[in-house]
């Protein structure tokens, strides 16, 4: 049971999480970094279950950044294996919860085994409606924006797109997140207060929640706490507090 009372009318539609601190968690226990990653999978389950329980529609998890390719190759290989294993272990559970799995990032450069597991899982969960779980894999926000600009420019050159029609909505529609609303809440664990090249366009007005908890220690109650914190905030979008209060009466 959750002891935190959330307002059901103010549940964010989309929550994004930078799952950080696996390595430090393992180190504290005198274990190898991969032990932290393996235990981090439990926290993914916790966050997803919590999200489903309160009615979040989209959950985006930063699982592997473009920059993470610079890690030792043994760690990368272990992470990729863990991804494949976790997908196969969890697929039935995901299906029974009504989870639709999608990805953002350069998935086509992941090892073939990962790509196949992802293709399979996406196919199996395609018609699920309860929540969309978006895994950011080999993802970089600047790369995503550069790619969108390249595509738009190419279309302008061949006359498929008019440069006059380029506006904020159009740019959003060329990003890999085109089908999702912008996140209302971003959670980052492990005490790092940075965005690390994650959803930089999409986070323009997102509420940021930083916690010192290391990702493998992140449980359902921590997810509810983040939403509780979010619900206490006044989202002004450039307006004054009085304007917002008047809108809500
Ligand atoms: C997050 O934990 C997982 C990935 C980036 C893949 P880290 O592996 O970054 O853990 P720390 O930050 O070194 O503790
Ligand atoms: C961000 O974590 C990427 C993921 C959580 C997948 P990092 O641990 O790679 O971030 P930095 O390098 O400390 O900013
Ligand atoms: Mg880290």
């Amino acid at each position: 049971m959750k002891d935190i009372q959330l307002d059901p009318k103010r549940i964010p539609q989309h929550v994004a999480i930078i799952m950080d601190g696996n390595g430090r968690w393992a180190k504290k226990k005198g274990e190898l970094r991969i032990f932290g990653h393996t235990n981090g999978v439990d926290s993914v389950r916790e966050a997803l279950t919590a999200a489903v329980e309160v009615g979040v529609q989209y959950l985006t998890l930063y699982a592997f950044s473009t920059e993470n390719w610079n890690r030792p190759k043994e760690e990368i290989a272990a992470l990729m294996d863990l991804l494949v294993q976790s997908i196969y272990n969890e697929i039935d559970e995901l299906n029974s919860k009504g989870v639709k799995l999608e990805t953002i990032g350069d998935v086509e450069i992941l090892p073939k085994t990962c790509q196949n597991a992802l293709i399979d899982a996406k196919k199996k969960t395609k018609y699920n409606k309860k929540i969309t779980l978006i895994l950011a894999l080999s993802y970089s926000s600047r790369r995503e924006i550069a790619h969108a600009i390249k595509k738009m420019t190419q279309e302008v050159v061949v006359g498929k797109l008019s440069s006059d029609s380029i506006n904020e909505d159009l740019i959003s529609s060329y990003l890999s997140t085109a089908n999702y609303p912008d996140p209302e809440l971003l959670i980052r664990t492990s005490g790092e207060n940075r965005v690390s090249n994650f959803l930089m366009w999409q986070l323009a007005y997102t509420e940021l929640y930083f916690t010192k908890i290391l990702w493998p220690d992140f449980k359902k109650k921590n997810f509810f706490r983040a939403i509780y914190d979010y619900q206490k905030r006044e989202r002004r979008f450039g307006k004054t507090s009085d304007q917002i209060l008047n809108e809500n009466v």
Side-chain angles (χ1 to χ4, degrees):
M1 265 307 283
K2 51 180 191 284
D3 49 351
I4 299 157
Q5 285 301 316
L6 296 177
D7 177 354
K9 294 193 294 296
R10 291 192 59 207
I11 299 295
Q13 223 193 333
H14 185 174
V15 177
I17 309 183
I18 302 177
M19 311 182 288
D20 199 11
N22 295 351
R24 277 163 282 170
W25 185 88
K27 198 172 176 191
K28 266 186 16 189
K29 293 190 153 23
E31 300 279 355
L32 296 174
R33 295 178 56 84
I34 189 64
F35 183 69
H37 298 314
T38 309
N39 279 274
V41 178
D42 291 339
S43 300
V44 170
R45 205 178 299 111
E46 293 267 336
L48 180 63
T49 311
V52 169
E53 255 175 52
V54 293
V56 168
Q57 300 285 300
Y58 301 89
L59 179 67
T60 300
L61 302 179
Y62 205 5
F64 194 83
S65 70
T66 304
E67 292 75 18
N68 289 147
W69 289 113
N70 296 321
R71 291 197 176 190
K73 62 178 189 319
E74 301 74 29
E75 181 171 345
I76 297 173
L79 276 167
M80 296 300 154
D81 281 351
L82 184 62
L83 176 67
V84 176
Q85 262 180 41
S86 306
I87 290 173
Y88 287 123
N89 290 343
E90 305 289 329
I91 186 72
D92 291 342
E93 178 74 18
L94 292 179
N95 250 330
S96 69
K97 279 201 180 97
V99 179
K100 179 177 182 177
L101 183 81
E102 299 198 337
T103 54
I104 54 172
D106 296 323
V107 177
E108 61 289 345
I109 66 170
L110 297 176
K112 263 273 169 284
T113 48
C114 292
Q115 292 188 46
N116 291 340
L118 287 166
I119 291 168
D120 194 41
K122 283 183 195 176
K123 209 161 100 192
K124 281 189 176 137
T125 61
K126 199 171 160 185
Y127 298 107
N128 290 340
K129 295 243 155 19
K130 190 89 188 157
I131 189 170
T132 304
L133 172 65
I134 304 141
L135 293 182
L137 290 163
S138 191
Y139 176 85
S140 142
S141 185
R142 286 190 171 179
R143 238 179 110 78
E144 177 189 41
I145 293 168
H147 179 79
I149 293 172
K150 191 169 168 184
K151 206 165 155 211
M152 284 187 291
T153 312
Q154 284 166 346
E155 291 184 10
V156 169
V157 168
V158 297
K160 203 176 147 197
L161 182 70
S162 140
S163 61
D164 287 340
S165 65
I166 298 178
N167 58 25
E168 294 171 27
D169 288 341
L170 189 93
I171 294 172
S172 292
S173 77
Y174 277 73
L175 299 175
S176 60
T177 49
N179 295 328
Y180 319 127
D182 289 341
E184 293 97 325
L185 173 65
L186 171 80
I187 300 170
R188 182 171 188 152
T189 57
S190 91
E192 307 297 355
N193 298 337
R194 54 178 175 261
V195 173
S196 301
N197 214 350
F198 190 44
L199 302 176
M200 290 186 315
W201 173 272
Q202 299 86 339
L203 294 179
Y205 254 108
T206 302
E207 295 297 328
L208 309 179
Y209 179 86
F210 297 109
T211 168
K212 287 203 163 55
I213 294 178
L214 302 173
W215 180 248
D217 288 329
F218 192 87
K219 304 289 166 214
K220 271 167 67 174
K221 70 166 190 296
N222 304 108
F223 187 89
F224 295 138
R225 251 177 225 157
I227 296 194
Y228 183 74
D229 194 274
Y230 162 83
Q231 291 190 335
K232 284 190 305 193
R233 301 184 190 186
E234 183 179 61
R235 304 190 74 203
R236 290 191 285 275
F237 300 100
K239 296 182 183 173
T240 67
S241 192
D242 285 346
Q243 284 176 296
I244 302 297
L245 291 170
N246 287 333
E247 279 171 12
N248 292 335
V249 288

